Amino acid sequence: MRVILFAVFFFFLDLPSLYCARRPPASRQKLQVHKHLKRLNKPPIKAIESPDGDVIDCVHISHRPAFDHPFLKDHKIQMRPNYHPEDTIPIRRTKEDDVLRASSVKRYGKKKHKSLAVPRSIPSSADPDIDNESGHQHAIAYVEGDRYYGAKATMNVWEPKIQQSNEFSLSQIWILGGSFGQDLNSIEAGWQVSPDLYGDNNTRLFTYWTSDAYQATGCYNLLCSGFIQINSNIAMGASISPVSAFRNSQYDISILVWKDQKEGHWWMQFGNGYVLGYWPSFLFSYLADSASMIEWGGEVVNSKPDGQHTSTQMGSGRFPEEGFGKASYFRNIQVVDKENGLKSPKDLGTFTEQSNCYDVQTGSNSDWGHYFYYGGPGKNPNCP
């Protein structure tokens, strides 16, 4: 039995520290940044400094970022039965340096356009964009071919090493709808290490959503309107502690995302009792109905420093065949069916672009149900 422990006080954002040739003059850029910070940082009732240095603002629920969305101005907040709303929600304060690490104020808190997961029915060799241009690599298990109303998993938590600040490593659940073109709908939740986004190498709880394949809609955590947080105990972007250690104690977290088929919204739960909030159904086209694919697993950015594969680790940085205590895992993976029941996935597939860099191996037993080990070190003698 593994004990799940976590810290609940932090959140942050930004993106690759790429500097454009036509960057605005310093004075105008500073004005843009301060204007953006004013939109992001709502007036707090009180502020708390977390152990890792984050400032957590306790913001009244009427000022939550979701209400910046024009469709949410008169939105009636949905609560689970017998759930009592709180007076404030915790929001990790965004700093000027966070925004300045992004390629632009407009792109702050958003993924690069080509970070979508590729259709697993199409071999990566059929789309050279997958590895060469987007730089995103995966080691995942997935199901497709049915209508899905959510997914659940318990995922091992590590602190993978990141070679360059504009790279990241994450482990998450994807709830997907639409094609894998420009109309992709995606809800994502898990843990990540992203120096550009958070300004450190801590492992953090995160969410993401998009309704147009990461082009203009969506963002991490609460960096834009959309996700409606109702929980007052956990800040999106919070550092997770402790994390697993090689041949030592193992820690994992459980995440459930499911669709309320009456109201249509997609809810997220962390652990056994922390319902964090929901994504309103109107944010999406395909996911307004159901998902057509569920994915579980890891993703890294490979920016190919010096023309070689990155040494950014996925999961524990070990290959799946090393097993428990060494490799990272997902266990008790399940999907939500149309009757709102959790069930084991059928015809579980796997996918990775370069198995010599990052790999995945599935299994099942009575204790862990359907599970898989995944990850790897990136650059190695077989992955130059």
Side-chain angles (χ1 to χ4, degrees):
M1 176 71 69
R2 278 151 298 284
V3 179
I4 300 173
L5 299 175
F6 49 92
V8 294
F9 288 111
F10 355 136
F11 155 41
F12 209 46
L13 33 143
D14 38 85
L15 273 183
S17 18
L18 305 174
Y19 289 91
C20 303
R22 296 184 179 179
R23 208 171 182 84
S27 57
R28 191 175 75 182
Q29 182 191 28
K30 192 165 187 177
L31 184 63
Q32 290 175 339
V33 169
H34 285 181
K35 187 176 180 182
H36 196 58
L37 288 173
K38 188 175 181 180
R39 285 196 297 268
L40 288 174
N41 295 323
K42 308 301 181 183
I45 293 175
K46 65 177 179 179
I48 301 168
E49 185 171 352
S50 69
D52 65 356
D54 287 342
V55 176
I56 306 303
D57 291 327
C58 297
V59 176
H60 195 274
I61 56 174
S62 62
H63 293 149
R64 70 187 78 201
F67 288 166
D68 291 341
H69 197 292
F71 288 178
L72 286 172
K73 293 297 182 183
D74 300 314
H75 179 72
K76 182 179 179 180
I77 299 172
Q78 303 297 314
M79 295 294 184
R80 294 187 70 196
N82 302 316
Y83 185 88
H84 300 286
E86 306 288 343
D87 291 330
T88 64
I89 59 170
I91 302 178
R92 184 172 182 264
R93 186 180 298 177
T94 305
K95 302 174 184 177
E96 183 176 337
D97 288 347
D98 300 335
V99 182
L100 289 173
R101 282 195 301 273
S103 58
S104 69
V105 172
K106 185 178 180 180
R107 293 302 304 170
Y108 173 67
K110 297 181 179 292
K111 287 188 177 183
K112 295 180 180 179
H113 289 190
K114 291 184 177 292
S115 63
L116 61 153
V118 296
R120 303 314 169 195
S121 55
I122 300 176
S124 60
S125 58
D127 186 356
D129 231 13
I130 293 172
D131 184 40
N132 296 334
E133 187 173 341
S134 73
H136 289 247
Q137 293 183 259
H138 310 79
I140 62 142
Y142 69 95
V143 290
E144 61 180 338
D146 202 347
R147 298 175 70 179
Y148 307 101
Y149 297 87
K152 184 178 183 180
T154 297
M155 59 188 78
N156 204 196
V157 181
W158 294 81
E159 190 175 276
K161 304 302 182 187
I162 311 299
Q163 182 173 344
Q164 299 202 154
S165 63
N166 64 332
E167 298 177 336
F168 65 64
S169 181
L170 60 78
S171 297
Q172 67 175 35
I173 299 172
W174 288 261
I175 310 290
L176 300 168
S179 71
F180 285 82
Q182 303 306 306
D183 63 349
L184 180 72
N185 287 199
S186 182
I187 290 173
E188 304 165 21
W191 61 261
Q192 69 178 166
V193 176
S194 178
D196 260 1
L197 186 60
Y198 301 104
D200 57 33
N201 293 298
N202 292 347
T203 302
R204 294 176 177 270
L205 174 70
F206 84 99
T207 63
Y208 200 94
W209 71 273
T210 182
S211 61
D212 61 358
Y214 312 97
Q215 297 178 88
T217 63
C219 61
Y220 283 105
N221 304 320
L222 301 179
L223 292 179
C224 66
S225 58
F227 182 78
I228 298 178
Q229 181 166 342
I230 64 169
N231 188 282
S232 65
N233 297 312
I234 298 177
M236 304 305 294
S239 290
I240 301 173
S241 180
V243 297
S244 303
F246 184 71
R247 290 180 175 172
N248 209 319
S249 299
Q250 299 296 295
Y251 297 92
D252 49 32
I253 61 173
S254 294
I255 289 178
L256 167 64
V257 177
W258 80 101
K259 186 178 181 65
D260 175 350
Q261 295 189 47
K262 181 179 179 181
E263 298 292 342
H265 309 319
W266 289 89
W267 288 82
M268 177 184 172
Q269 178 175 303
F270 178 78
N272 292 324
Y274 293 92
V275 177
L276 299 188
Y278 62 93
W279 293 268
S281 59
F282 70 75
L283 295 174
F284 307 102
S285 51
Y286 295 97
L287 287 181
D289 178 38
S290 60
S292 57
M293 178 179 283
I294 305 293
E295 298 177 354
W296 303 262
E299 178 183 358
V300 301
V301 171
N302 173 24
S303 63
K304 294 188 175 178
D306 301 321
Q308 296 181 318
H309 196 286
T310 183
S311 60
T312 287
Q313 299 174 331
M314 180 188 292
S316 67
R318 299 283 177 155
F319 284 113
E321 56 264 28
E322 295 194 48
F324 185 78
K326 301 175 184 177
S328 190
Y329 61 80
F330 275 64
R331 62 181 176 91
N332 300 113
I333 61 176
Q334 297 173 295
V335 296
V336 180
D337 62 19
K338 62 182 179 181
E339 281 78 37
N340 202 37
L342 283 165
K343 64 179 184 180
S344 297
K346 293 182 179 179
D347 302 320
L348 190 66
T350 61
F351 176 86
T352 183
E353 288 91 349
Q354 291 179 270
S355 60
N356 290 335
C357 307
Y358 312 106
D359 204 3
V360 56
Q361 293 181 0
T362 61
S364 63
N365 60 38
S366 58
D367 184 24
W368 280 17
H370 283 72
Y371 68 88
F372 61 90
Y373 287 99
Y374 71 100
K379 183 181 176 183
N380 67 79
N382 295 317
C383 175

